[in-house]
Amino acid sequence: LVDPDIAAFEAQMMEMMDSPEARAMMERLQELMLKDDPASNTEFVALLRGMRVPMMQQMGQHPTLQAAGEEVNATLIKVPTTHDGDFDVPVLVQTPKKLEGKGGNAAYIYAHGGGAVVSSAQDSKGWFDHVAVTCDVVVFNVDYRLAPETKCPNNVKDFYESVKYICANAATLGLDHSKIAIAGDSGGGYICLGTMVLLAHNDEAGLVKLAMPGIPMIADLCFSDMAAMTVEEREIAHEMRKIWQLVAADFEAQKSDPLLFPGKVSDDVLGKFPPTVVFECEFDIFITEATRLAARLRRAGRLLEFVVIPGAKHCSYFMTPEFECSKKWQNTLKVVLQEYLHK
């Protein structure tokens, strides 16, 4: 069953959305999911960002996360890239004050969630201040460019180039080059997995010690028969179809490309992935795809752990640090990093 605190939170959210204005917005969003033209795409993205970004920002205002922010020094670096014009990728560096000035720190290079369409590194700062402090890592929160303004594979390449830059400049950044992890959640999980594909394809997986895609967008299950989906997968299918079409530069041409759908990576390339821990939630919208990928990683000898948080739904562990599922995720992440990154 879904955890009681999550169910209560969802009921509260439904009550807050029970107004003529909110209902009209949701109905309009549903209509736009079924269209595919420049005007409807622009309106869909604007509505989605207007709804989701304030929610993400509010989650980061919890006192526990704000307190962690007091223990972190935040700076900005810019990674020069040329794969999609001349663009400097902003990277928010979140360094625990207790690690400031020390060399040999562990790095946690992160791609934020939001379906690769919504949000920013700043929106996830509160949570990853907390991760930085509790897990003794320097977080590099990458502000990769979003769709539809930036299309696949250039969104993935923003993160990939940032990973390469951080690895190449590890000593200058106060890092131990042998203790670098990459991670991402939801849409950021897709960005992380796409980067794993590039690293493996280019025989560069050894640059990172650990990869941790969480609740990740992986493949095109949403385009299949909804009768075979879980309730959660079915509820989000139309929205995910729209999002994947916004992310793709040419959906038909790219639908077999693992840089769009990392779940379609070949066994040969998969076998070159970095050591991987996949994080999932029991009632997640991507649970089927993640389970399939975990099975393939296990067979290829690249899976360290497949962690499924019981009773949780998509992004439940980011709703508030007080939720039981969030405590489980925090504790598990700390153990994973201690076991597979710090040692």
Side-chain angles (χ1 to χ4, degrees):
L1 296 176
V2 174
D3 284 352
D5 48 13
I6 297 171
F9 178 86
E10 289 185 334
Q12 183 182 11
M13 292 298 295
M14 291 298 294
E15 187 176 335
M16 291 172 61
M17 293 292 290
D18 189 20
S19 69
E21 295 81 6
R23 286 196 297 271
M25 184 181 297
M26 290 302 299
E27 288 171 4
R28 182 57 180 159
L29 201 64
Q30 294 288 333
E31 292 172 6
L32 293 169
M33 289 176 195
L34 304 178
K35 297 182 178 182
D36 186 20
D37 60 82
S40 67
N41 290 346
T42 298
E43 185 181 354
F44 174 82
V45 169
L47 274 175
L48 196 65
R49 289 174 178 171
M51 293 171 60
R52 301 282 171 82
V53 170
M55 291 175 60
M56 293 176 174
Q57 292 172 339
Q58 185 177 3
M59 291 175 188
Q61 297 304 309
H62 191 279
T64 297
L65 308 184
Q66 293 294 298
E70 295 297 318
E71 300 179 50
V72 166
N73 287 329
T75 56
L76 187 72
I77 62 174
K78 293 189 175 182
V79 176
T81 67
T82 57
H83 56 267
D84 185 26
D86 292 327
F87 180 73
D88 293 340
V89 181
V91 180
L92 180 64
V93 185
Q94 298 165 249
T95 307
K97 292 178 181 178
K98 61 186 175 181
L99 301 182
E100 195 75 51
K102 295 182 178 180
N105 292 317
Y108 186 101
I109 309 173
Y110 184 69
H112 65 80
V117 172
V118 171
S119 196
S120 67
Q122 188 64 38
D123 295 337
S124 63
K125 179 180 181 297
W127 264 109
F128 287 90
D129 284 340
H130 185 59
V131 167
V133 171
T134 58
C135 297
D136 295 324
V137 293
V138 180
V139 172
F140 292 82
N141 203 333
V142 180
D143 233 343
Y144 60 90
R145 285 172 285 183
L146 301 175
E149 294 85 358
T150 298
K151 299 287 192 174
C152 171
N154 292 318
N155 47 8
V156 171
K157 289 182 177 180
D158 280 357
F159 191 74
Y160 166 75
E161 292 294 345
S162 297
V163 170
K164 295 250 295 181
Y165 178 90
I166 293 163
C167 291
N169 293 278
T172 302
L173 294 168
L175 305 175
D176 181 340
H177 69 86
S178 69
K179 294 182 179 180
I180 294 176
I182 60 175
D185 289 292
S186 191
Y190 147 66
I191 296 292
C192 178
L193 279 164
T195 294
M196 292 160 67
V197 171
L198 283 174
L199 289 170
H201 185 268
N202 295 328
D203 292 320
E204 297 168 329
L207 291 175
V208 300
K209 187 175 184 180
L210 175 66
M212 293 177 292
I215 49 174
M217 290 167 47
I218 296 175
D220 55 358
L221 180 72
C222 62
F223 292 93
S224 66
D225 187 345
M226 287 195 284
M229 297 180 187
T230 67
V231 170
E232 292 77 20
E233 291 164 345
R234 195 179 309 128
E235 289 175 345
I236 203 72
H238 288 298
E239 181 177 328
M240 286 311 306
R241 291 173 186 178
K242 182 76 167 181
I243 285 174
W244 281 122
Q245 287 166 339
L246 290 170
V247 170
D250 184 332
F251 185 82
E252 288 302 314
Q254 292 177 295
K255 62 184 180 181
S256 297
D257 187 344
L259 292 181
L260 180 63
F261 294 124
K264 298 185 179 185
V265 66
S266 71
D267 289 340
D268 287 343
V269 175
L270 186 78
K272 298 178 182 179
F273 269 23
T276 303
V277 174
V278 179
F279 281 87
E280 256 298 349
C281 295
E282 183 179 5
F283 300 103
D284 188 45
I285 57 179
F286 305 125
I287 185 64
T288 300
E289 296 177 355
T291 303
R292 290 173 177 173
L293 180 66
R296 293 185 65 203
L297 285 164
R298 182 179 289 112
R299 179 177 285 275
R302 307 316 295 156
L303 184 72
L304 297 172
E305 308 282 351
F306 180 36
V307 179
V308 180
I309 306 296
K313 300 178 76 172
H314 192 68
C315 289
S316 294
Y317 49 68
F318 288 133
M319 289 177 180
T320 169
E322 296 168 350
F323 278 4
E324 284 304 311
C325 67
S326 183
K327 293 175 184 177
K328 291 171 184 173
W329 173 75
Q330 294 172 61
N331 292 336
T332 305
L333 178 62
K334 187 173 183 178
V335 170
V336 164
L337 291 175
Q338 183 60 43
E339 182 67 25
Y340 296 120
L341 183 64
H342 286 296
K343 283 187 177 179

